[in-house]
Amino acid sequence: MKAVTRVRERLCMPFSSSSHSQHFQFRNDIRNNLKLKDPISENNNFEEAIDVLCQQKRVKEAVELLHRIDHRPSARAYSTLIAACVRHRALELGRRVHAHTKGSNFVLGVFICNRLLDMYAKCGSLVDAQMLFDEMGHRDLCSWNTMIAGYAKLGRLEQARKLFDEMPRRDNFSWNAAISGYVSHDRPWEALELFRVMQRCERSNSNKFTLSSALAASAAIPCLRLGKEIHGYLMRTELNLDEVVWSALLDLYGKCGSLDEARGIFDQMKSKDVVSWTTMIHRCFEDGRKEEGLSLFRDLMWSGVRPNEYTFAGVLNECADHAAEHLGKEVHGYMMRVGYDPCSFAVSALVHMYSKCGNTRVARRVFNHMPHKDLVSWTSLIVGYAQNGEPEEALHFFELLLQSGTKPDQITFVGVLSACTHAGLVDKGLEYFHSIREKHGLMHSADHYACVIDLLARSGRFKEAENIIDNMPIKPDKFLWASLLGGCRIHGNLELAKRAAKALYDIEPENPATYITLANIYANAGLWTEVAKVRKDMDNRGIVKKPGKSWIEIKRQVHVFLVGDTSHPKTSHIHEFLVELSKKMKEEGYVPDTNFVLHDVEEEQKEQNLVYHSEKLAVAFGIISTPPGTPIKVFKNLRTCVDCHTGIKYISKIVQRKIIVRDSNRFHCFEDGSCSCKDYW
C-alpha cells in the first residue's frame, strides 16, 4: 500500500524535461513499486504501468501517465487506455486520450479509430463520434456498424437509417442494429419492413438475433399472422433456437392473445429462465386463467428457478384481485423461506394484497417492517383502510405520509377522498380535494371529481355537486355520473337521477347497472309505470341484469351461490337455517326492505325474494359449516343491496359472529348488529 501511495504522489508531481533525475527516479518507482518485470525497453515499462493501473481501475492515473512519457506511446498503450475508458464510461478521460494522440502526432489507424468510435458511442457522445467518423480516411465495416448501433440505441433512428443506407456493404450486425433500434423505440412496422428487405437480399442470412427482433416487432403491433410467418421460417431453416428466441416466441403468442400456442412454446423450452416463467404466468392471469397461472407458479417453486420480484408482485396482485388471501399467504410464506429484498416492490404488493383481502392488521404489520416505505405501499395501506371501514386510520396514515416527506400522487388522493366519503366527512373531503391543486401542485383527475361528487351526493348536497359538474375543466366520466346516480338513489332525487341516467345511457348504453338503479329509484317512489318502462327498454335493447354472485371459502374449497340458488348440496339445510333465522331477526326488530325489489308483486313474495339473495345464502352456509365464534368472510361481485346489509347486521348480533362481506365497492365488517361502514356506503 505504501508503494502504491508513493507512485500516486509521483504521478501528481509536475514534470520538466530538464529534471532528468526526477524522471529516472519516477521510472524506478513505476518498475519497483508496481512490481513490473525487467523491461526490454523504456516503452515497455510505461505500457506495463498503464496495464497495471487500468487493471486496478485507476484509469485517471493511467491517463495522467501519458503526459509523463517523453516519447510517443504505442498503439497498444492507447488501445488499453481507450478500452478502460469504455469499461468505466469515462468520457472526459477518453477525450484526453484522443487529444493526446493528436498532440503526439500519432497516426490513427482504423483499429484505434474504431476503439474511439466505440468509446464515444457507448458514452453517449455521438457528436464526437460523428466528427471522428467524418475525419477517418479509411472506414471498415466495424466503423459503420458502431455508428449505426450508437444512433439506434439513443433513438436517433433517422441518422442510423441514413448511415445504414449509405454503407458500402452490410453484415448481420448491421441489419440487427437497425431492426432492433426500430423495435426498441416503438416503431415495429419499420422494423418489419427492413426485415423483409433483408429477407430479399440474397447475401443476407437472418440469424437468431434478427429473428428475435422481428418477432418482438410482430408482438408489439400485435400481428399474429406475421409472427407465425417468422416462426415458420425459424422451423424451415432449423436454426439452433436459444432462450432469447424462445422468449420472443412466447411473448409473441402471449401478446397476440393466443395463449394455448404460447403455452405450447413454453412447454417446449428446454431451459426456462425466470423471465420465461414470469411471462407465462402473467399471460395466464391476463387471459383470466387464474388457476393455470397459479399452477404454473407452484411448478416454478419446484423447478429450482428462483422467482424474482416481478413474479411475486404479479401473483400477489392476482391474489388481491380475486380476494384469494390463503394463496397470498402461501406466496408470503414462500418469500420468507427463500428470502427476498425487503426494499423491493414485491413487499408493496404484499401490503396491497392483504389490504384488498380485508386483512389490514397484517397489511400494517408488513408495512411497518419495510425499511424504506415507497408511495405504493403508503397508498395501498391508505386505500385498504378506506375500503375496510377504517377511515380514521386511512387519514391518520395519510398525515404520516406527509410527515415522512413522501410526496403523494393522484392515486393516493383517491384513497383519501374515498375515506372521507365513507366516513361522511364532507367538509374534510372538500378541503383535501382543493388541496390537491392548491397545496400539492397536482392536477385534478376524473377519479378525484368522481370521489368528490360521491361525497356530496351521498350527503344530499346536490347543488354543490351540480356546480362542480357544470364547471369542471374535463368531461365527466361514467364513474362520476354513477356516483351521482347512487346519491340520488339514497335521497330519492328523481330529477337529478334522470340527468345522471341520461348521461350514462350516452356513455355506456349496454350497462344494466344504470337501468337497475333508475328502476329502483322509481320503485322506491312507487312509480311502477316508470319501472315497467325501464324494464321494457332493457328488454328491447337485449340488456340482461348481471346475476348477483357470492362466494365463501371453507376448508380451502370455494362455494359459489347465485340468487335463489338450489344447486348446492346443502341447499335444504341452508334454507331451513334461513327460515329460522328470519323469525329471530323479526323478533329483534328486523323489517324486510322491499323498496328496491323491482317487480310489482305481493309484499310477501318480495320478502321471499330477499331471503334468498346470494350473500345471505353464502353467510348462512358459512355459519352452519364452521364452529361457533368463527369469523365469516363472504365476497360478492355486485354492490350489496340495502336489505341484505340491514339483514346481515341482525344476523351478526343473533349468531354472535364477525361477518365480513366484500362487495364491488368495499368491505363491510358486521359485528354485534353494526357495520364498519356506519351505513354509509
Side-chain angles (χ1 to χ4, degrees), residues 487-548:
C488 293
R489 177 190 59 78
I490 295 170
H491 297 281
N493 190 326
L494 277 173
E495 291 307 312
L496 199 52
K498 290 177 185 177
R499 178 187 176 185
K502 183 179 182 303
L504 285 167
Y505 290 151
D506 292 338
I507 296 170
E508 44 177 10
E510 306 302 317
N511 187 352
T514 305
Y515 298 86
I516 299 299
T517 305
L518 185 60
N520 278 334
I521 295 171
Y522 284 135
N524 193 36
L527 301 173
W528 293 104
T529 303
E530 297 300 322
V531 173
K533 287 180 182 178
V534 173
R535 293 195 64 83
K536 185 178 180 181
D537 195 16
M538 288 179 69
D539 292 338
N540 291 339
R541 292 172 178 263
I543 297 170
V544 180
K545 179 182 180 291
K546 186 179 181 181

Side-chain angles (χ1 to χ4, degrees), residues 83-239:
C85 292
V86 171
R87 283 195 302 274
H88 298 280
R89 299 297 188 263
L91 176 60
E92 289 307 318
L93 292 176
R95 283 177 173 150
R96 286 174 61 183
V97 175
H98 188 187
H100 193 277
T101 63
K102 295 178 180 178
S104 66
N105 295 319
F106 181 83
V107 179
L108 291 173
V110 69
F111 176 78
I112 297 296
C113 282
N114 286 342
R115 281 261 166 144
L116 285 166
L117 285 178
D118 184 54
M119 185 269 297
Y120 284 132
K122 286 180 177 173
C123 291
S125 181
L126 288 174
V127 173
D128 287 314
Q130 187 65 57
M131 286 175 60
L132 175 59
F133 184 78
D134 292 339
E135 292 169 1
M136 290 173 65
H138 173 67
R139 304 164 184 152
D140 63 6
L141 190 56
C142 180
S143 315
W144 290 91
N145 285 343
T146 301
M147 292 301 298
I148 292 167
Y151 278 123
K153 184 179 179 181
L154 293 182
R156 296 171 63 176
L157 301 177
E158 282 67 29
Q159 292 97 323
R161 185 59 186 267
K162 181 176 181 295
L163 285 170
F164 179 84
D165 292 337
E166 290 174 354
M167 64 191 304
R169 69 183 185 89
R170 306 180 183 97
D171 61 3
N172 275 331
F173 185 93
S174 318
W175 292 97
N176 292 340
I179 292 170
S180 64
Y182 282 127
V183 174
S184 300
H185 293 89
D186 299 321
R187 290 165 66 170
W189 284 111
E190 287 159 288
L192 288 172
E193 178 190 354
L194 193 57
F195 174 71
R196 290 193 186 95
V197 173
M198 182 181 183
Q199 295 291 86
R200 291 195 297 268
C201 183
E202 293 181 3
R203 292 180 298 171
S204 297
N205 295 312
S206 302
N207 60 19
K208 57 189 177 184
F209 301 107
T210 326
L211 293 164
S212 296
S213 293
L215 286 168
S218 301
I221 291 174
C223 182
L224 183 60
R225 179 183 58 81
L226 291 172
K228 282 188 170 183
E229 287 179 10
I230 299 165
H231 189 184
Y233 176 83
L234 276 166
M235 296 299 101
R236 289 193 303 274
T237 53
E238 297 182 344
L239 279 172

Side-chain angles (χ1 to χ4, degrees), residues 4 37 135 192 254 314 366 430 448 500 506 534 607 627 670:
V4 172
K37 298 175 184 177
E135 292 169 1
L192 288 172
V366 173
L430 288 170
H448 297 152
D506 292 338
V534 173
E607 290 185 23
F670 301 92

